[in-house]
């Protein structure tokens, strides 16, 4: 089973999207990591530019592909 790192902006709007995205990947047999997993397949970021940039910086510019959902 592959792993997805899921980052999100705190807030109710992000909570709703987070649940939908989490279900989407889990239905496709991905595991969602609660902590950063350096062996994950993707980094998925829910939020705006600031959230995306924080995720990139917090992972030390990870080579894992990032997908942003605004």
């Amino acid at each position: 089973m592959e792993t997805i790192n899921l980052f999100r902006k705190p807030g109710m709007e992000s909570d709703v999207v987070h649940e939908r995205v989490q279900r989407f990947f889990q239905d496709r047999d991905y595991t969602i990591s609660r902590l950063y997993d350096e062996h994950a397949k993707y980094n998925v970021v829910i939020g705006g530019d600031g959230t995306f940039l924080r995720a990139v910086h917090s992972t030390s510019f990870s080579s894992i592909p990032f997908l942003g959902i605004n």
Side-chain angles (χ1 to χ4, degrees), residues 3-6 11-12 14 17-18 24 27 29 33 37 39 43 45-46 49 51 53 58-59 61 66 68:
T3 301
I4 301 288
N5 291 318
L6 188 55
M12 290 182 63
S14 294
V17 176
H18 176 265
F24 175 87
D27 288 349
D29 294 325
S33 178
D37 181 346
H39 302 292
N43 291 311
V45 184
I46 300 167
D49 294 344
T51 305
L53 290 171
S58 73
T59 63
F61 298 88
F66 281 85

Side-chain angles (χ1 to χ4, degrees), residues 27-64:
D27 288 349
R28 286 152 182 82
D29 294 325
Y30 285 91
T31 300
I32 304 300
S33 178
R34 294 189 183 269
L35 300 173
Y36 176 71
D37 181 346
E38 64 185 27
H39 302 292
K41 178 116 179 156
Y42 302 108
N43 291 311
V44 178
V45 184
I46 300 167
D49 294 344
T51 305
F52 191 89
L53 290 171
R54 275 189 293 282
V56 171
H57 283 274
S58 73
T59 63
S60 299
F61 298 88
S62 171
S63 62
I64 299 168

